[in-house]
Structures are given as C-alpha cells and as structure tokens.
Amino acid sequence: MYTEKVMDHFTNPRNVGEIENAKGIGEIGNAKCGDIMRIYLDVEDNIIKDIKFKTFGCGAAIATSSVTTEMVKGKTIEEALKLTNKAVAEELGGLPPAKMHCSNLAADALHKAIEDYMNKNAL
Amino acid sequence: MRKVYLDHSATTPVRSEVAQVVTEYYTNIFGNPSSVHSFGREARKGIENAREQVANLINGKPEEIIFTSGGTEADNMAIIGSALANKNKGKHIITTAIEHHAVLDSCKYLEKEGFKVTYLPVDSEGMIDLETLKANITEETILITIMHVNNEVGTILPIKEVGAIAKERGILFHVDAVQSYGKLPIDVNEMNIDMLSASGHKIYGVKGVGCLYLRRGVKLHPIMFGGAQERKRRPGTENVPGIVGFGLASELAGQEMEMENQRLTVLRDKLITGILENIPCTQLNGHRTQRLPGNVNISFEFIEGESLLLMLDLKGIAASSGSACTSGSLDPSHVLMAMGLCHEIAHGSLRLTLGRDNTEEDIDYVLEVLPEIVERLRAMSPLYNNRDKHRNHREECSICTLRK
Ligand SMILES: Cc1ncc(COP(=O)(O)O)c(C=O)c1O
Ligand code: FES
C-alpha cells in the first residue's frame, strides 16, 4: 500500500518534536478525517534554520510531515512557500489515491507556520 | 520475527482437517451434484452431509439450510427477499445502527424502494434497549433484523429476548450470526429465529461460502434467477468443496466450542487487563461481560489507529482499527460513533480478535511491544502534550457527539 520511502519516513520520522520560542507555528486540522498536524519554525536571516513537527494521523500523514520538514530545512522562506502537496507526494514516491488528502496537511501546516512568522515580524 | 495473527474476526486460516476434505472435493470428488452419474451423486452426498452438519449446530432442519456465497449474500437474500415477499403486509423494517454493511446497505436499498427502516440506537457498550425496540414496532412492521454479535466491539445482543418479542407480534426475525455462528450456542427454535446468516471463513472454513437458515414456511422473493439448485432459492452450481468444508468446520466448531471459549476468555481478559493497567489513557470499547470470548477493542487516546496498525505490523502483529484513516471512507467506524464515542477516541481504536492458533505467549508478546509503540506515537502527537487542556475539550466533544 505504501512505498518504501513512506515507510522509511513513518518508521524513522525526521524532525519530530517542538521548538521552544518558535518564530512561527502552524496548526492544521484535517476536515476530512479529523487528523491534526502542527509545525514549528526557527527562522534566521530569512532561512529556515530549524523545523519540527507533531502529527496525529495515519502513516501517510506522519510520512508527509517528516519529508516536508526535510525538504524545506535550510531553504529560504520564499522557497518554502513554493512547496506544494504534489511535490511532497512525489518526493515520497507517490501516495495511494485515498491518502492524497494527507499530503495537503503538511504543506498547509507549513504555509500556516510561515504566515504566523511573517505576521509576528510584520513582514 | 514472531508472527501473531489477531484479526480472526476479519477471517481465519483454514484448519487442516477442512483443507484436506476441500482438496479431496476439488480433485477426486469433483462431480456436479446435479449430475445423474456416480461422480455427481458423490458430490451430492457431500453437500447433503454438510447440510446436516450445519443444521445440527443451530438445531434447525437440514431442509431449512440454503448454501450461499457467504454472509453478505445470506443477509441480502434474507432482508431484501423477505421484505419484497411481504410488502403487501407492511413496509417497515427494524434493525440497529451497528449492523454490518451487508445488512445496512440492504436496508438502504429497500428505503429507496419505498420501505421505512428504523435504526435502533445503542448505548455506550453497544447494547440495544428492548423497550425501545417494542416502542418502535408498528402495524406496518414486517421484519426485525438484528445481529447476534457485533463484529467490531464483540457485544453480544439479546437475540433470544428479541426473538420472543418478534414471535409475540408475529414479525419475521432475521439474525446476522456471522460473528457468533460456531462460537456461541445458537438454537433457532428456542430463540425464535426465522432466518439466520452464517459464513464459513470466520470459523476456519474457506472464503466464499456460507448459508442462510430459512425457517420452513417463510417466503422469500428471489433475488437470483437460474437453475433449480438449493430448491431454486439459490440457483447456480454449488461450491461443493467450500460447502463440504463449511459443514466439517461447523461440526468441529460445535465440538470444541465450550473448551475453546473457556481458553479464549482467559486470554482475552489477560490482554484487556494487561493493556488497561499498563498503558494510561486507554478505554475498553464494547460490553465488559456480554462479549465474544475472542474480542478485544481498546481506544488509545492521542493516537490514530492506522499508524498503530502499521507499527504493530512491523512487529509481526496483525490487527484492525475503526479509525477514519483505515476505513477508506474517511469516517470513523459507524459502530463506535453509534456508541457515542468522541471522534478522536474512535480514531484511536484497536481491535484484536483471538482464535485457535493464539497462545498465552502471543498475548505476552503483544503486552511487551504495545506500550513502547503507543509511547512512540504519543510522543509524535500534538494532542499529547497539553493533555489536561485537551481533557476538557474531550468532555465537551463527547457530549456534543453523543447519539447525534
Ligand atoms: C457481522 C457480519 N456480517 C456479515 C459479514 C459478511 O460475511 P462474508 O464475508 O461471508 O460475506 C461479516 C464479515 O465481515 C460480518 O462480520
Ligand atoms: S491522516 Fe487520516 S487518512 Fe491520512
């Protein structure tokens, strides 16, 4: 059902946890199945220095959270804003059709965290 | 790695005695039971013997057994067939909110055809209320269809009491016994059952075979058309190997029922107690005592069922869940929701169903690996940290989703 890459991120998720005094926090609840994802950002000189996540959801939700953090760590805010759900799913080697909505969760939570950062810093 | 199969309510392995006789009927005794020659007669003998074995287990008569392709077909035949045959007497059916989809979707079909269906609510343990049942019976009621054991939470429903009510009011009574047949004593006469569905693959028989018990004199509108097999009630060349295997599996299940239930009850209770005592923020779903001997259904707060299943699978443990993420429909189990569970608690439900092949070592193994897995997933959960804050939220939401 899941690709090897999904299972790898599910069993060894990268960047799990929280950041104290995070510069931006984004939380998204999945309207479809009721899952929740939260992303914490540390930003310095417009670069995502650190990123952590916490997810309550299925295997796909955990794997997409994990791979999303990996994809944007060290990137600029502008680059991170360009990340799409499609890119996340592709990076994982694809997701089962019924699980595509889970990849929205991660990209949306990331964008929300960036928005929060921008608001806090009046950007 | 140790492999532990704890999904016996989904399906069971074919037991060796059954596999042997099934193979015999695939290879040597392969005739068409409708044929006149010796090959056909031999196959016919196998079917009629199986019919007796099945009838014996539920105290019916052999001629009241119709072999089908499984529980789903038996449910469809009984519900749609009896409703259509009796629509001149009335167009009201009573069932419960926690039935299997084979029953619920047959009822939905009838609603489209102009029937009215009452879905009885259940309490937090998955139990129906007999007074509510009585209160919902009208002059128009032609059929009551209620499951014996719920497939998700294992609650045993008061079938005998329902049968008495149905008989008194002169209403047909169908029981989906797919999860109880061969596991709990059933007497169609004592329980006043007119129709009963059973399935082979839940009792160590093969998949794709089952039966409908149809009390003599009960009329069914046919839903399949063709040959004269099964007294024209179920046309089509019989699945002889499957049927013969189903017969043997039924007889063996009857012989072993009492001993096996004692053994499974001990293992089940050890598993339930072990989880509830060693893992915080857990709750048992379903009835504590009126419960199938092999059923364990527990919710783990703050985590989601599918990720729990994946983690268990990596440790060789096979289980199932009522989580929205595993259902394919993105809604959590209709059974858990009908019991008034909060969305998130339904999300974190885990069903472990025990069977013949399970040992005490299996239970010990689960109790050894489960706490670590739950801890790992909780550490990842955004709901876990502010646990106390969340608690309040939960109470609120359980009030609002209660019997909605
Ligand atoms: C309560 C109940 N009814 C009906 C069925 C369907 O039986 P079958 O798989 O033989 O069609 C099942 C099987 O999951 C069941 O648990
Ligand atoms: S998070 Fe619920 S299906 Fe993926």
Side-chain angles (χ1 to χ4, degrees):
Chain A
M1 164 165 139
Y2 289 134
T3 63
E4 234 169 80
K5 190 126 188 229
V6 172
M7 285 310 288
D8 174 41
H9 276 272
F10 171 72
T11 45
N12 304 297
R14 334 293 198 248
N15 306 309
V16 178
E18 296 173 16
I19 297 175
E20 252 182 78
N21 305 319
K23 299 265 173 65
I25 299 177
E27 182 173 307
I28 283 281
N30 189 333
K32 281 205 158 153
C33 59
D35 297 319
I36 298 167
M37 187 179 294
R38 197 183 298 148
I39 282 188
Y40 301 82
L41 292 178
D42 188 14
V43 185
E44 214 170 276
D45 298 334
N46 200 42
I47 303 244
I48 297 180
K49 282 215 32 189
D50 200 8
I51 176 166
K52 295 252 192 273
F53 81 88
K54 285 216 159 175
T55 292
F56 167 76
C58 71
I62 290 172
T64 51
S65 315
S66 164
V67 83
T68 297
T69 60
E70 215 177 47
M71 284 168 88
V72 300
K73 198 166 172 176
K75 295 278 164 60
T76 64
I77 290 294
E78 289 73 27
E79 284 168 322
L81 274 172
K82 282 192 200 130
L83 187 82
T84 61
N85 331 321
K86 207 168 144 238
V88 172
E90 269 165 19
E91 183 70 18
L92 286 168
L95 285 169
K99 296 287 180 181
M100 283 309 286
H101 72 274
C102 315
S103 64
N104 300 357
L105 218 53
D108 290 352
L110 171 70
H111 293 157
K112 227 171 157 182
I114 293 176
E115 207 177 287
D116 181 47
Y117 160 74
M118 289 167 109
N119 287 342
K120 277 183 183 153
N121 293 275
L123 290 171
Chain B
M1 186 177 54
R2 195 181 178 101
K3 285 267 197 184
V4 180
Y5 185 78
L6 287 170
D7 205 8
H8 290 84
S9 281
T11 197
T12 57
V14 176
R15 57 190 297 168
S16 60
E17 304 93 320
V18 171
Q20 213 176 342
V21 60
V22 167
T23 308
E24 179 70 6
Y25 276 79
Y26 268 124
T27 50
N28 294 326
I29 316 178
F30 64 87
N32 186 324
S34 299
S35 300
V36 177
H37 47 64
S38 66
F39 294 84
R41 292 199 306 273
E42 277 289 295
R44 165 65 49 203
K45 240 205 252 161
I47 291 190
E48 297 316 321
N49 182 45
R51 208 184 299 284
E52 261 173 54
Q53 289 168 314
V54 170
N56 281 342
L57 188 55
I58 55 175
N59 196 25
K61 297 192 195 80
E63 62 271 23
E64 294 175 320
I65 304 299
I66 302 165
F67 289 112
T68 66
S69 66
T72 300
E73 189 187 348
D75 284 340
N76 276 258
M77 261 172 85
I79 296 168
I80 299 173
S82 67
L84 293 182
N86 290 287
K87 64 176 181 217
N88 292 334
K89 292 188 197 146
K91 285 192 143 192
H92 179 229
I93 296 163
I94 300 178
T95 184
T96 77
I98 59 166
E99 298 296 311
H100 189 269
H101 280 111
V103 168
L104 289 179
D105 290 0
S106 294
C107 289
K108 294 252 161 64
Y109 167 74
L110 288 170
E111 281 180 311
K112 282 204 202 106
E113 296 294 306
F115 287 80
K116 211 175 145 275
V117 181
T118 300
Y119 300 89
L120 295 177
V122 294
D123 66 15
S124 60
E125 295 182 311
M127 199 56 90
I128 54 165
D129 174 44
L130 294 171
E131 292 308 316
T132 311
L133 166 67
K134 281 190 209 158
N136 276 285
I137 294 176
T138 71
E139 286 300 305
E140 282 271 305
T141 310
I142 50 169
L143 172 68
I144 297 174
T145 170
I146 292 182
M147 67 198 330
H148 191 184
V149 167
N150 180 268
N151 45 306
E152 289 186 38
V153 295
T155 301
I156 302 171
L157 298 173
I159 288 313
K160 191 176 164 188
E161 289 77 2
V162 174
I165 294 169
K167 187 176 181 184
E168 192 195 311
R169 305 293 299 260
I171 300 165
L172 286 176
F173 181 34
H174 167 250
V175 176
D176 178 341
V178 170
Q179 292 292 346
S180 63
Y181 177 82
K183 299 177 190 168
L184 296 178
I186 296 175
D187 183 324
V188 289
N189 296 317
E190 199 191 312
M191 295 171 156
N192 288 304
I193 295 169
D194 296 305
M195 296 173 279
L196 177 139
S197 308
S199 180
H201 72 106
K202 312 284 189 189
I203 58 160
Y204 311 97
V206 300
K207 292 163 185 68
V209 67
C211 76
L212 175 67
Y213 161 82
L214 180 69
R215 183 174 292 284
R216 226 186 124 168
V218 175
K219 299 236 163 1
L220 285 193
H221 185 88
I223 57 171
M224 266 221 241
F225 303 89
Q229 292 91 350
E230 300 298 285
R231 301 159 158 240
K232 290 206 92 158
R233 295 202 189 278
R234 206 291 184 172
T237 302
E238 300 88 338
N239 171 5
V240 185
I243 289 171
V244 171
F246 180 42
L248 180 58
S250 302
E251 183 176 328
L252 295 172
Q255 285 166 9
E256 296 166 4
M257 191 184 292
E258 216 179 305
M259 289 280 284
E260 181 64 357
N261 279 349
Q262 278 174 19
R263 194 184 75 89
L264 288 179
T265 303
V266 172
L267 294 184
R268 174 196 73 186
D269 290 346
K270 175 168 182 179
L271 188 52
I272 292 175
T273 315
I275 295 174
L276 294 181
E277 282 183 358
N278 294 311
I279 307 181
C281 301
T282 47
Q283 70 171 56
L284 181 70
N285 298 320
H287 203 283
R288 185 65 196 83
T289 51
Q290 288 297 99
R291 186 181 197 95
L292 189 73
N295 178 291
V296 175
N297 189 314
I298 288 180
S299 279
F300 298 80
E301 280 184 65
F302 320 117
I303 59 180
E304 184 282 321
E306 191 211 77
S307 44
L308 189 53
L309 295 188
L310 290 171
M311 288 275 189
L312 285 168
D313 188 47
L314 290 167
K315 293 279 186 189
I317 299 168
S320 78
S321 165
S323 158
C325 303
T326 58
S327 70
S329 71
L330 299 176
D331 287 321
S333 136
H334 68 282
V335 176
L336 300 179
M337 295 314 272
M339 286 161 58
L341 263 67
C342 154
H343 202 289
E344 273 159 40
I345 298 296
H347 229 38
S349 72
L350 178 71
R351 181 185 76 171
L352 302 158
T353 43
L354 287 66
R356 290 182 75 221
D357 44 323
N358 293 128
T359 61
E360 184 155 11
E361 285 74 46
D362 290 343
I363 304 304
D364 291 336
Y365 177 64
V366 174
L367 290 175
E368 182 193 317
V369 303
L370 190 57
E372 273 169 54
I373 291 176
V374 171
E375 201 34 61
R376 241 188 110 189
L377 287 170
R378 281 182 176 170
M380 255 188 250
S381 169
L383 303 176
Y384 193 44
N385 260 352
N386 41 7
R387 176 156 59 181
D388 292 328
K389 201 171 118 214
H390 195 69
R391 265 275 152 81
N392 300 333
H393 166 65
R394 255 247 300 134
E395 262 165 39
E396 249 170 58
C397 88
S398 65
I399 291 164
C400 72
T401 51
L402 209 60
R403 303 218 206 308
K404 61 168 184 233

